[in-house]
Amino acid sequence: EVQLVESGGGLVQPGGSLRLSCVVSGFTVSSSEMSWVRQAPGKGPEWLSSIKGSGGAIYSADSVKGRFTISRDNARNSLYLEMNSLRAEDTAIYYCARDLGGTYHSWGQGTLVTVSS
Amino acid sequence: EIVLTQSPATLSLSPGERATLSCRASQSVSSYLAWYQQKPGQAPRLLIYDASNRATGIPVRFSGSGSGTDFTLTISSLEPEDFAVYYCQQRNNWPLTFGGGTNVEIK
């Protein structure tokens, strides 16, 4: 059974940092395309960043480029999102998703990030 | 960036009725469009990919059509569990983008 479980969200002050984790089971991250998608309160989802399976090419949205970094640990079968210089507008639920050519077939339950002083 | 515009914003229908949701792209996305369903407190769930292909386990009452810039999600006969928000999403161009959603509510 495919499962994705995010963790690491919480309350952080503007300018702060957080590292989100996504532990995966039922498939291997090393051979899969994986993405982070967020959803601000009352809004539609927003794609943030993707890492391809073989080769590990990375794509990121302009809104987070230079601030957020996607990575993976094949040994832990996990995906990460390092978030720096956080802003109020980064407040959202953050989901990891298994990405098959840009379509999100499986999602985690999400982790809430709140940026506020 | 490709903008996806969904209409209507809200659709008020009764169980058993047919639902027709629209998604229009600001430029062609070929057939690379997906539809997701989201219920309160849950992650989105993939319904349709590449315009007309049902994802695993999705009931046949859900169907998708269209290509280029105009797409439609049809629910042939609404079940109580179908009342939710629906999003379209394109994968033809970076950045991947989602529409603003259509809320299908009980009339």
Side-chain angles (χ1 to χ4, degrees), chain A residues 10-18 38 67-68 83-92 94 112-117:
Chain A
L11 175 63
V12 61
Q13 291 190 338
S17 299
L18 275 178
R38 72 182 176 187
R67 298 191 301 127
F68 291 9
M83 305 188 296
N84 298 312
S85 304
L86 284 161
R87 309 164 179 165
E89 55 266 34
D90 295 319
T91 293
Y94 286 69
L112 176 63
V113 172
T114 304
V115 184
S116 175
S117 54

Side-chain angles (χ1 to χ4, degrees), chain A residues 35 37 39 42-47 50 52 59-62 95 99-110, chain B residues 32-34 36 38 41-46 48-50 55-56 87 89-91 94-101:
Chain A
S35 292
V37 177
Q39 188 169 26
K43 303 290 187 183
E46 177 191 9
W47 167 76
S50 298
K52 297 304 181 183
Y59 301 84
S60 296
D62 288 345
Y95 298 99
D99 169 356
L100 295 176
T103 299
Y104 307 111
H105 284 254
S106 303
W107 299 64
Q109 86 289 350
Chain B
Y32 298 130
L33 188 106
Y36 300 84
Q38 188 175 33
Q42 297 184 15
R45 177 176 71 141
L46 178 67
I48 301 288
Y49 65 95
D50 292 350
T56 303
Y87 295 100
Q89 176 247 328
Q90 66 83 22
R91 69 178 185 94
W94 299 100
L96 309 183
T97 51
F98 289 83

Side-chain angles (χ1 to χ4, degrees), chain A:
Chain A
E1 182 192 3
V2 169
Q3 275 197 314
L4 302 88
V5 180
E6 302 95 336
S7 61
L11 175 63
V12 61
Q13 291 190 338
S17 299
L18 275 178
R19 187 191 196 213
L20 306 184
S21 300
C22 173
V23 178
V24 162
S25 58
F27 66 97
T28 57
V29 295
S30 60
S31 58
S32 301
E33 300 175 3
M34 300 292 297
S35 292
W36 287 97
V37 177
R38 72 182 176 187
Q39 188 169 26
K43 303 290 187 183
E46 177 191 9
W47 167 76
L48 297 179
S49 192
S50 298
I51 183 166
K52 297 304 181 183
S54 59
I58 288 173
Y59 301 84
S60 296
D62 288 345
S63 59
V64 301
K65 205 170 286 185
R67 298 191 301 127
F68 291 9
T69 303
I70 190 172
S71 64
R72 67 187 179 202
D73 184 329
N74 296 338
R76 289 184 164 81
N77 211 30
S78 295
L79 181 74
Y80 303 98
L81 186 68
E82 189 76 40
M83 305 188 296
N84 298 312
S85 304
L86 284 161
R87 309 164 179 165
E89 55 266 34
D90 295 319
T91 293
I93 297 173
Y94 286 69
Y95 298 99
C96 65
R98 186 182 189 187
D99 169 356
L100 295 176
T103 299
Y104 307 111
H105 284 254
S106 303
W107 299 64
Q109 86 289 350
T111 187
L112 176 63
V113 172
T114 304
V115 184
S116 175
S117 54

